[in-house]
Amino acid sequence: MTVTTIIVNYNSGALLDECLKHLEAQTVRSDKIIVVDNASVDGSQNIAGAYASVDMLLLNENLGFAGGNNLALSGVDTEFVALLNPDAFPEPDWLESLLAAASENPDVGAFGSRQLCSDANFILDGVGDSYHVSGLVWRDRHGAKQQPNDLVTREIFSPCAAAALYRRKALHEVGGFDEDYFCYVEDVDLGFRLRLAGYKSMYVPSAVVYHVGSATTGGQRSDFSVYHGHRNLVWTFIKDMPSYLFWLLLPLHILMNLATVLLFTLRGQGKVILRAKWDAIKGVSGAFGKRRAIQSGRVAKVADVWRSLDKRLPILSKLFPAKCKKRTIAK
């Protein structure tokens, strides 16, 4: 089993150094480590350049998480691809655990980690991404205290790409990340398309990482995060939801979007949420164009997609997730 680990970096500073130190300490080492630097201005690309095991891709512009990963993927020929954020610090057996799960589950295309909040003992950053019937997405169990059930391997809708393993063949089959997303929700969209193509996703609790989260984008509640996340979730619903479910759930999706506009306006972010929804609407024709190609190649049954969707009622709290503590990295 061969594996390439890709890290997309943008002004991550000492976080990137700690991430690479954790990768160097893995019980199973990557065959190749690629750091894609999205035109950082903080000198963090020099940190990566000090590691002999790292191949650098220095970009002149910021392509985002989606574009940066796709660029690196275009030159990868290993069987597996591990994605790791520079603010995610894996336990020594992280990669070994993911590869073992992949060996035991050949029908699974993507594997997620047990993400713990940095500097918060037993508080989860997430155990995989959930996709609600309304089209709202969230990191499952984010901010919750770890429970025995969180140590059980299970199928998930999609892994959080901050620390995940993919079969390279599966990624190429579905076309990688959608670069129009730039960042946020692009991993859920990828997981949805993998599911439509017949691949499952699995949560691997023995694969542990400590995640700071949104370290270079101002946090999950920043205008940047709100804009990209709430624009992209509209496109994901349009592109990926099978036709029968699309028309069945469309009224709920519209209602959810109206509710988000109201709630974020009450929170003082009215301008950014309106801009996100307006730009989403402007991109609807492009999303429908992609939808035709995605749905024409769908392998998964509608009933299987329905079973994978989250149907819990109390979803409003997911709009304002709990915060993980921020780790301070000594320079």
Side-chain angles (χ1 to χ4, degrees), residues 9 55 74 92 103 125 138 215 231 241 250 259 265 275-276 278 286 294 307-308 325:
N9 175 65
D55 291 340
S74 65
S103 177
D125 181 59
W138 61 78
R231 181 197 63 178
M241 193 64 72
L250 182 59
T265 298
R275 182 164 60 91
W278 177 242
I294 292 168
R307 280 192 290 269
S308 72
K325 295 181 181 180

Side-chain angles (χ1 to χ4, degrees), residues 73-86:
L73 283 167
S74 65
V76 169
D77 60 2
T78 51
E79 184 181 0
F80 293 96
V81 176
L83 302 186
L84 192 64
N85 276 10

Side-chain angles (χ1 to χ4, degrees), residues 171-240:
L171 290 179
H172 281 283
E173 185 176 328
V174 301
F177 290 101
D178 186 333
E179 297 184 18
D180 287 340
Y181 282 45
F182 192 75
C183 64
Y184 288 103
V185 191
E186 73 284 271
D187 50 356
V188 180
D189 167 63
L190 176 62
F192 206 150
R193 287 184 284 117
L194 285 170
R195 181 170 295 276
L196 295 176
Y199 293 99
K200 297 178 181 178
S201 294
M202 176 177 286
Y203 165 58
V204 185
S206 58
V208 177
V209 297
Y210 298 90
H211 188 212
V212 175
S214 303
T216 62
T217 59
Q220 294 185 354
R221 302 185 184 188
S222 69
D223 285 355
F224 182 91
S225 302
V226 169
Y227 171 79
H228 287 89
H230 284 270
R231 181 197 63 178
N232 295 347
L233 65 82
V234 174
W235 293 345
T236 300
F237 183 88
I238 292 172
K239 288 166 47 187
D240 300 335

Side-chain angles (χ1 to χ4, degrees), residues 47-279:
I47 292 173
Y51 286 83
S53 59
V54 172
D55 291 340
M56 292 289 299
L57 286 178
L58 298 175
L59 308 185
N60 294 322
E61 61 178 320
N62 189 347
L63 300 181
F65 184 83
N69 273 304
N70 281 352
L71 183 64
L73 283 167
S74 65
V76 169
D77 60 2
T78 51
E79 184 181 0
F80 293 96
V81 176
L83 302 186
L84 192 64
N85 276 10
D87 63 348
F89 315 125
E91 289 280 10
D93 60 349
W94 170 73
L95 190 55
E96 181 180 2
S97 296
L98 289 173
L99 290 171
S103 177
E104 296 167 3
N105 299 275
D107 60 331
V108 176
F111 303 84
S113 307
R114 174 160 52 102
Q115 296 179 191
L116 295 170
C117 288
S118 178
D119 285 356
N121 291 333
F122 306 112
I123 301 299
L124 291 163
D125 181 59
V127 298
D129 290 328
S130 290
Y131 194 99
H132 192 259
V133 288
S134 67
L136 187 65
V137 303
W138 61 78
R139 198 175 304 154
D140 198 22
R141 301 281 294 148
H142 175 76
K145 186 175 181 179
Q146 183 174 281
Q147 300 294 330
N149 284 344
D150 297 315
L151 305 180
V152 178
T153 301
R154 61 180 178 273
E155 184 178 348
I156 54 176
F157 186 84
S158 63
C160 172
L165 182 76
Y166 298 88
R167 295 187 190 276
R168 182 182 62 86
K169 176 184 176 183
L171 290 179
H172 281 283
E173 185 176 328
V174 301
F177 290 101
D178 186 333
E179 297 184 18
D180 287 340
Y181 282 45
F182 192 75
C183 64
Y184 288 103
V185 191
E186 73 284 271
D187 50 356
V188 180
D189 167 63
L190 176 62
F192 206 150
R193 287 184 284 117
L194 285 170
R195 181 170 295 276
L196 295 176
Y199 293 99
K200 297 178 181 178
S201 294
M202 176 177 286
Y203 165 58
V204 185
S206 58
V208 177
V209 297
Y210 298 90
H211 188 212
V212 175
S214 303
T216 62
T217 59
Q220 294 185 354
R221 302 185 184 188
S222 69
D223 285 355
F224 182 91
S225 302
V226 169
Y227 171 79
H228 287 89
H230 284 270
R231 181 197 63 178
N232 295 347
L233 65 82
V234 174
W235 293 345
T236 300
F237 183 88
I238 292 172
K239 288 166 47 187
D240 300 335
M241 193 64 72
S243 293
Y244 177 80
L245 296 177
F246 178 90
W247 295 111
L248 176 69
L249 299 174
L250 182 59
L252 184 59
H253 184 64
I254 293 172
L255 181 62
M256 181 274 293
N257 278 280
L258 292 174
T260 61
V261 171
L262 175 60
L263 289 171
F264 278 95
T265 298
L266 291 174
R267 212 183 80 177
Q269 291 181 291
K271 288 184 178 180
V272 68
I273 193 67
L274 286 171
R275 182 164 60 91
K277 298 309 179 185
W278 177 242
D279 286 350

